[in-house]
């Protein structure tokens, strides 16, 4: 399967009205989402609802259901609170979750597409915030692609990967735990402040690491686990599980997102193909995760259960070597281009981090940010508790193109970009063509007024003159592609036509 | 909220195609002082107050 597999990214953005820290963020988040509905005409589909009947956030991959009475209210993500909730013409979902605006990319099949539709989400968020701020009497709303306020709160950037159901979950836990603990050296976004509330002064690799408290579990909002067991496949549950990864930072560097998705997909392939890496289990996973994030030198070893001492870099080399060998054995010279690109990029980056971490400033968020920090510390003689450094940390993730520091670095060519503005503009309004997101997005684009509801695995049409709603299931993420249904959209003039054509 | 900041907030969001395709210079450490000058121009005013008022509710 290589780096090609069904995947997606969901990101909760930080939201703020500068100067008004006590404004109700559920309300401002709703204003942002609703303003986007207004400027895109999606408010015409005001009937369109997200179908929660298809969701089961309490299903546990280990094989049991958490009862609703035992669940923390924040885990009940399937309750319809009447909060803003949009399905976009690019197949994405844009909604309010836990007092943050959240964008879930459409399902894509490879890391480059994940980068593109994630970047489209940033543009959508900014257009939405600009529109919301322009409402009469509104205060300016600013959005941040980060994961903490440095005062004890964290919000997530989750990755999703479709996996084979038959793969034992214990194997996933065994191999992914050390991988997640150490991949921060490539995918951390950098943070000023140590500890959940950032009280201890210093710099660390990850925005998220300090908020993880247990090894395995169902929760996402409290006692966060390194391996999340939520098991809502949004696909045939006999064949698939959806691996819901909650440990990652939201990346500003497109390269970092690309490598995060690509390397994780490769490690999942190792697991599914039964390749066992020996002797990789950390003695204390949670403490090690924090320690790796706190070690900017990338040189401090930690203990494995076997007693072996390794660094994060060493373990990443072992994952790389195993992946490179497996891909070579499996594909040889027929290896696809993107898989080769991920392997090459991974190898080059590990070499660079080993030789001189600062040489990775054009690809890795925590290094780019640290370079700025060290510049300020030297020039202005600042300590790690300086509010100015905390501001640089925060503003790095400001999504406004003229104020966000990551985008400023991109514009001057100091941070690598994988997408072009034209590609992103297209992805803002158009779905990927090789997943069911194509069907969902095209339905939304062409028949906005007739969409009664939608979810990842269905679209429900409300057709004039018919007394019942028509539910079109889309359980297979790799069907409903342009190749499957493109000709239907060429032919159908209305939602009614589409239903007729589907019946043939 | 200064007038200047409000104007900047409402600037269009498109990224210039030309700059997006600019070659990577990989000069962050060598050229960091000129970057800092550029950043100084766009940093929010009153860092301490701004950072203090960035308060979020927890999420997932």
């Amino acid at each position: 399967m290589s780096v090609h597999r069904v995947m997606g990214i969901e990101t909760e953005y930080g939201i703020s009205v500068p100067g008004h820290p006590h404004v109700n963020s559920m309300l401002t988040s709703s204003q942002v989402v609703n303003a986007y509905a207004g400027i895109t005409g999606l408010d015409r589909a005001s009937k369109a609802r997200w179908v929660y009947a298809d969701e089961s956030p309490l299903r546990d991959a280990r094989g049991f259901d958490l009862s609703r009475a035992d669940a923390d209210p924040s885990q009940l993500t399937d309750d319809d609170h009447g909060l803003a909730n949009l399905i976009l013409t690019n197949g994405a979902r844009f909604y309010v979750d836990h007092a943050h605006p959240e964008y879930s990319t459409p399902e894509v099949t490879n890391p480059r597409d994940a980068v593109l539709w994630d970047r489209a989400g940033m543009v959508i968020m900014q257009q939405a915030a600009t529109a919301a701020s322009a409402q009469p009497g509104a205060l300016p709303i600013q959005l941040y692609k980060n994961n903490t306020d440095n005062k004890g709160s964290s919000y997530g950037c989750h990755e999703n990967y479709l996996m084979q159901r038959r793969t034992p979950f214990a194997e996933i836990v065994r191999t992914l735990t050390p991988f997640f603990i150490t991949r921060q050296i490539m995918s951390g976004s950098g943070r000023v402040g140590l500890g959940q509330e950032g009280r201890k002064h210093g710099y660390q690799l990850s925005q998220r690491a300090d908020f993880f408290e247990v090894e395995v579990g169902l929760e996402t909002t409290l006692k966060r686990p390194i391996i999340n067991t939520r098991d809502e496949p949004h696909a045939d549950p006999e064949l698939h599980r959806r691996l819901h990864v909650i440990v990652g930072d939201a990346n500003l560097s497109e390269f970092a997102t690309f490598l995060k998705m690509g390397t994780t997909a490769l490690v999942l392939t190792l697991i599914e193909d039964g390749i066992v890496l020996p002797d990789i289990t950390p003695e204390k996973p949670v403490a090690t995760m924090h320690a790796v994030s706190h070690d900017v030198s990338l040189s401090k070893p930690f203990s494995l259960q076997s007693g072996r001492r390794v660094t994060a870099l060493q373990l990443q080399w072992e994952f790389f070597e195993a992946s490179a060998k497996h891909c070579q054995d499996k594909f040889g010279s027929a290896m696809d281009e993107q898989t080769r690109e991920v392997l090459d990029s991974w190898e080059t980056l590990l070499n660079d981090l080993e030789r001189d971490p600062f040489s990775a400033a054009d690809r890795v968020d925590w290094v780019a940010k640290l370079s700025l920090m060290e510049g300020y510390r030297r020039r202005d003689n600042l300590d790690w508790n300086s509010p100015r450094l905390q501001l640089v940390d925060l503003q790095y993730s400001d999504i406004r193109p003229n104020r966000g520091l990551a985008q400023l670095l991109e514009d001057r060519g100091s941070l690598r970009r994988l997408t072009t503005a034209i590609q992103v503009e297209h992805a803002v309004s158009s779905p990927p063509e090789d997943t069911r997101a194509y069907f969902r997005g095209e339905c939304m684009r062409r028949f906005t007024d007739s969409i009664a509801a939608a979810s990842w695995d269905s679209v429900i049409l409300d057709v004039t003159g018919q007394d019942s709603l028509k539910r079109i299931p889309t359980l297979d993420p790799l069907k409903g592609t342009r190749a499957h249904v493109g000709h239907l959209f060429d032919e159908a003039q209305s939602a009614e036509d589409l239903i007729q054509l589907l019946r043939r | 909220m200064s007038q200047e900041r409000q104007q900047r907030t409402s600037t269009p969001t498109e990224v210039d195609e030309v700059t997006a395709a600019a070659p990577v210079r990989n000069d962050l450490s060598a050229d960091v002082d000129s970057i800092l000058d550029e950043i100084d121009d766009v940093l929010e005013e009153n860092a301490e107050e701004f950072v203090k008022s960035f308060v979020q509710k927890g999420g997932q």
Side-chain angles (χ1 to χ4, degrees):
Chain A
M1 243 206 238
S2 65
V3 299
H4 294 265
R5 89 169 48 230
V6 175
M7 54 177 70
I9 305 174
E10 19 173 330
T11 309
E12 297 176 333
Y13 283 70
I15 181 165
S16 148
V17 177
H20 298 79
H22 301 297
V23 33
N24 181 334
S25 50
M26 273 185 168
L27 189 66
T28 47
S29 297
S30 279
Q31 286 167 347
V32 167
V33 177
N34 286 330
Y36 192 73
I39 58 173
T40 52
L42 288 170
D43 53 353
R44 283 187 294 127
S46 55
K47 294 172 297 183
R49 312 282 287 177
W50 189 259
V51 194
Y52 288 97
D54 292 333
E55 304 224 337
S56 43
L58 304 181
R59 178 88 25 94
D60 193 301
R62 291 166 297 186
F64 51 87
D65 275 9
L66 183 65
S67 87
R68 299 185 74 87
D70 291 341
D72 185 271
S74 65
Q75 285 176 274
L76 301 178
T77 57
D78 58 345
D79 270 355
D80 189 345
H81 300 295
L83 290 173
N85 201 337
L86 296 177
I87 306 123
L88 306 184
T89 58
N90 71 355
R93 184 183 176 199
F94 182 23
Y95 61 117
V96 180
D97 198 4
H98 299 283
H100 297 270
E102 173 159 343
Y103 170 87
S104 297
T105 67
E107 304 89 329
V108 298
T109 60
N110 61 82
R112 275 202 169 256
D113 282 353
V115 170
L116 180 58
W117 270 275
D118 180 63
R119 184 76 191 225
M122 242 173 107
V123 171
I124 287 165
M125 281 282 175
Q126 182 49 37
Q127 288 174 350
T130 303
S133 305
Q135 298 288 324
L139 295 162
I141 296 172
Q142 289 177 203
L143 301 179
Y144 295 83
K145 197 183 185 197
N146 66 355
N147 303 102
T148 180
D149 63 359
N150 236 356
K151 298 169 188 67
S153 286
S154 183
Y155 32 100
C157 172
H158 299 175
E159 303 140 58
N160 296 289
Y161 304 89
L162 199 69
M163 294 192 71
Q164 294 167 4
R165 170 66 62 187
R166 64 166 185 267
T167 306
F169 199 73
E171 259 319 297
I172 298 176
V173 174
R174 196 193 80 84
T175 304
L176 277 186
T177 301
F179 179 70
F180 284 162
I181 286 171
T182 54
R183 74 172 190 173
Q184 309 173 69
I185 63 173
M186 306 186 295
S187 61
S189 285
R191 177 180 174 202
V192 176
L194 308 177
Q196 294 192 357
E197 294 173 3
R199 290 215 177 119
K200 210 172 146 201
H201 304 149
Y203 186 81
Q204 60 174 315
L205 312 189
S206 165
Q207 292 260 308
R208 279 285 266 181
D210 286 349
F211 293 92
F212 284 78
E213 297 173 350
V214 299
E215 293 170 28
V216 182
L218 185 56
E219 292 84 358
T220 53
T221 54
L222 58 156
K223 285 190 291 172
R224 291 185 184 86
I226 297 170
I227 305 288
N228 183 246
T229 53
R230 184 185 291 185
D231 189 4
E232 283 178 282
H234 299 309
D236 184 344
E238 300 289 315
L239 295 176
H240 298 294
R241 73 168 80 249
R242 173 179 61 121
L243 184 73
H244 187 232
V245 176
I246 69 169
V247 288
D249 286 6
N251 288 115
L252 277 297
S253 160
E254 292 187 347
F255 179 94
T257 301
F258 171 71
L259 207 55
K260 175 172 73 178
M261 304 303 288
T263 57
T264 303
L266 286 177
V267 172
L268 296 182
T269 301
L270 290 179
I271 297 170
E272 285 181 341
D273 290 350
I275 309 290
V276 176
L277 276 75
D279 191 15
I280 53 169
T281 305
E283 187 184 34
K284 296 175 181 159
V286 175
T288 303
M289 184 172 184
H290 300 170
V292 167
S293 181
H294 296 184
D295 175 25
V296 178
S297 73
L298 307 183
S299 63
K300 291 185 190 154
F302 55 88
S303 293
L304 301 178
Q305 272 180 4
S306 64
R308 181 161 76 111
R309 305 268 293 165
V310 291
T311 63
L313 264 166
Q314 268 171 277
L315 271 195
Q316 278 297 313
W317 273 120
E318 291 176 24
F319 281 108
F320 166 76
E321 302 288 355
S323 301
K325 178 176 186 312
H326 184 55
C327 288
Q328 194 56 42
D329 291 350
K330 198 170 172 180
F331 307 114
S333 57
M335 195 186 307
D336 71 275
E337 203 180 319
Q338 211 175 136
T339 299
R340 192 170 293 285
E341 188 187 3
V342 169
L343 285 170
D344 289 348
S345 308
W346 193 0
E347 183 175 24
T348 306
L349 181 58
L350 290 178
N351 270 319
D352 288 348
L353 288 172
E354 204 161 50
R355 185 173 49 82
D356 171 19
F358 283 101
S359 68
D362 63 329
R363 284 157 288 166
V364 176
D365 282 313
W366 74 262
V367 180
K369 202 186 264 182
L370 181 60
S371 302
L372 302 180
M373 300 289 174
E374 291 296 357
Y376 271 107
R377 279 159 54 77
R378 199 171 46 235
R379 192 191 73 176
D380 300 342
N381 209 12
L382 301 178
D383 286 329
W384 281 116
N385 63 350
S386 151
R388 199 171 173 81
L389 294 189
Q390 291 169 1
L391 178 61
V392 171
D393 184 1
L394 176 59
Q395 205 169 329
Y396 184 85
S397 66
D398 187 330
I399 66 168
R400 293 173 298 170
N402 53 343
R403 299 302 286 273
L405 304 188
Q407 290 180 83
L408 184 143
L409 293 179
E410 270 183 345
D411 287 349
R412 67 194 309 288
S414 302
L415 189 63
R416 219 181 271 192
R417 200 168 164 180
L418 305 185
T419 64
T420 67
I422 289 174
Q423 290 171 326
V424 173
E425 196 183 325
H426 180 258
V428 162
S429 56
S430 305
E433 296 183 350
D434 55 357
T435 67
R436 64 186 171 195
Y438 178 78
F439 181 77
R440 183 187 316 121
E442 289 298 325
C443 280
M444 208 59 208
R445 188 216 306 270
R446 290 159 193 262
F447 313 126
T448 313
D449 299 301
S450 304
I451 309 285
S455 68
W456 300 115
D457 36 20
S458 70
V459 172
I460 300 178
L461 297 173
D462 182 2
V463 179
T464 329
Q466 305 226 2
D467 39 3
S468 64
L469 300 174
K470 302 294 174 204
R471 180 178 189 275
I472 303 163
T474 54
L475 198 60
D476 186 338
L478 293 174
K479 291 201 175 140
T481 66
R482 182 172 186 172
H484 286 114
V485 298
H487 62 285
L488 301 181
F489 286 114
D490 292 340
E491 222 175 303
Q493 300 295 312
S494 66
E496 200 173 5
D497 287 355
L498 181 68
I499 290 168
Q500 292 302 331
L501 289 165
L502 283 166
R503 281 200 178 123
R504 271 191 207 157
Chain B
M1 183 60 50
S2 71
Q3 188 63 32
E4 181 191 55
R5 190 177 303 151
Q6 284 187 3
Q7 280 169 0
R8 280 175 166 171
T9 307
S10 60
T11 310
T13 57
E14 284 78 18
V15 177
D16 183 5
E17 174 62 19
V18 178
T19 55
V24 170
R25 294 209 303 262
N26 191 15
D27 57 357
L28 249 187
S29 45
D31 191 26
V32 80
D33 282 346
S34 82
I35 303 179
L36 298 191
D37 291 341
E38 227 175 293
I39 291 178
D40 287 338
D41 290 340
V42 301
L43 272 188
E44 304 282 357
E45 291 156 31
N46 197 346
E48 186 162 7
E49 197 48 46
F50 195 90
V51 166
K52 205 154 94 185
S53 77
F54 184 77
V55 181
Q56 300 293 296
K57 286 215 160 60
Q60 297 218 36

